[in-house]
Amino acid sequence: QQHQNDEEQKFPSMIFLAPTTSPMSSIALQKDPALYLAISPAQKDNVHVFHATNDGFCPYPERWERTGATTHMCRDNHVFQTRSSQQIIGDVLESLLSSSSSDVLI
């Protein structure tokens, strides 16, 4: 019965925009969560991580690829100011909102 309850449990969809987990973890003397976080294959389409090619605050975007999350690399900087970045982020958000039966966390 526990397995059945786990399958029925709804997890929120998530969007991470330029997550600064690596430098923040260093300051806190902790491991970067991207090193041990594991997204289940069933949740992959509901967890999106956006990185920018010119972002000194997020030096290890490849760590997030290993988590199993859907990752996006934008030709932009840390604040995602280009129209193309804003478009893809908006498209993903719209998709999650229209298909998700749970909350979307940004």
Side-chain angles (χ1 to χ4, degrees):
Q1 187 175 10
Q2 178 63 33
H3 181 68
Q4 187 177 22
N5 290 340
D6 289 346
E7 289 179 351
E8 295 172 7
Q9 187 175 2
K10 299 289 186 193
F11 293 97
S13 297
M14 293 178 238
I15 296 177
F16 293 90
L17 300 174
T20 58
T21 56
S22 181
M24 293 296 104
S25 298
S26 291
I27 291 168
L29 303 174
Q30 300 293 318
K31 285 185 180 179
D32 184 345
L35 293 173
Y36 58 84
L37 185 66
I39 307 300
S40 74
Q43 285 296 110
K44 179 179 175 45
D45 293 337
N46 293 333
V47 181
H48 292 261
V49 183
F50 289 87
H51 298 285
T53 55
N54 189 24
D55 186 352
F57 296 108
C58 303
Y60 305 109
E62 67 278 0
R63 288 181 178 175
W64 284 93
E65 293 172 5
R66 292 184 218 139
T67 66
T70 302
T71 59
H72 307 269
M73 185 62 74
C74 301
R75 296 183 77 164
D76 207 336
N77 61 31
H78 185 71
V79 294
F80 297 110
Q81 293 179 319
T82 66
R83 178 73 180 124
S84 61
S85 295
Q86 294 168 2
Q87 182 67 49
I88 186 69
I89 292 167
D91 289 349
V92 168
L93 177 58
E94 186 176 314
S95 173
L96 290 175
L97 289 171
S98 65
S99 67
S100 180
S101 61
S102 62
D103 295 331
V104 177
L105 303 176
I106 301 174

